[in-house]
Amino acid sequence: IRGMIGFFQGDGTFVAYAENERQTRIMASPLSISQMVNELTDIAVNPGDTLRYVIRYKNDGTIGVRDAIVTLEIDPSFLDVGRLSLLSGAYDAARKTIVWKASDISGLGRLEPGDAGEVAFSVPTVKTFTETKGKDISIRSVAKIDSPDIPTPIGANKIIGSNTLYVKLNALVGIGIKPLYTDTTFVNNGPIPPQVGKETSYTL
C-alpha cells in the first residue's frame, strides 16, 4: 500500500511531494483444520435435529509441533447445550468454546509433519424458538488449532489454522384456518350474526 501527497500538473501527471509505503505479508499456518456437520460442509437442519460435528486437523508443515490445542467457538443460541455429548475435551460455557488438549487427545502431544487426527461431538438444536424478524437463522462455529511451537512474528498476528462453518436452521411453518365474513377478495352474504334457517357464507 502506497500513499502519496502532491498535485496534478496541467498534462495530468502527478507530482508527489512525499510518499510512504507499507507491505503486508500473507503467510499460511503449518497446521490446517476443517469441520463437517453430519458429514457435510453445507447443510440446513430442522429444529430438534442432532448435529454431529467432526473436526479434522493436520500438520502440513515440515517440522513437528508439540502440545497442540484445538478449540471450537460455537454460537449456542439455537442449541440444546444441556444435551451436548463430548467423548473428550471440555465445554467452557462462559467462553462458548470447546477445548481439546494433549491430555484429552494423545496425538495432540506431538504432531509430526503429515500427522492428522480428528475430534467429534454432537449436540441437538432446540425444538422451538422465538421469531427472529424474518432473518436467516444459522449456527456459526469457528475451529482453530494452535501450538506454542508456532512463533508469533514481532508486530504481527500469530499464524494459526482456522475454519468457519455455518449451519442453516430451517424455520417450521405452521398453518391454521381463520373464518372471515368481511374479505377483500371474496364477497360473502347472509345475516350476521347467523340466524336459524338462513344461510350465511364465510371465507376460510
Side-chain angles (χ1 to χ4, degrees), residues 3 22 25-26 32 43-44 53 56 75 79 92 106 117 136 148 159 166 193 196:
R22 290 290 184 270
R25 292 188 302 163
I26 300 177
S32 62
I43 184 174
Y53 282 79
R56 296 186 173 96
D75 181 2
L79 298 176
D92 185 337
S106 59
D136 292 335
I159 305 163
Y166 290 89
V196 175

Side-chain angles (χ1 to χ4, degrees), residues 71-79 81 84 90-100 121 140-143:
T71 60
L72 184 82
E73 301 171 15
I74 189 165
D75 181 2
S77 301
F78 300 101
L79 298 176
V81 292
L84 172 68
Y91 177 64
D92 185 337
R95 296 171 54 203
K96 304 173 184 177
T97 302
I98 304 173
V99 181
W100 293 270
F121 71 94
R140 179 177 181 266
S141 58
V142 181

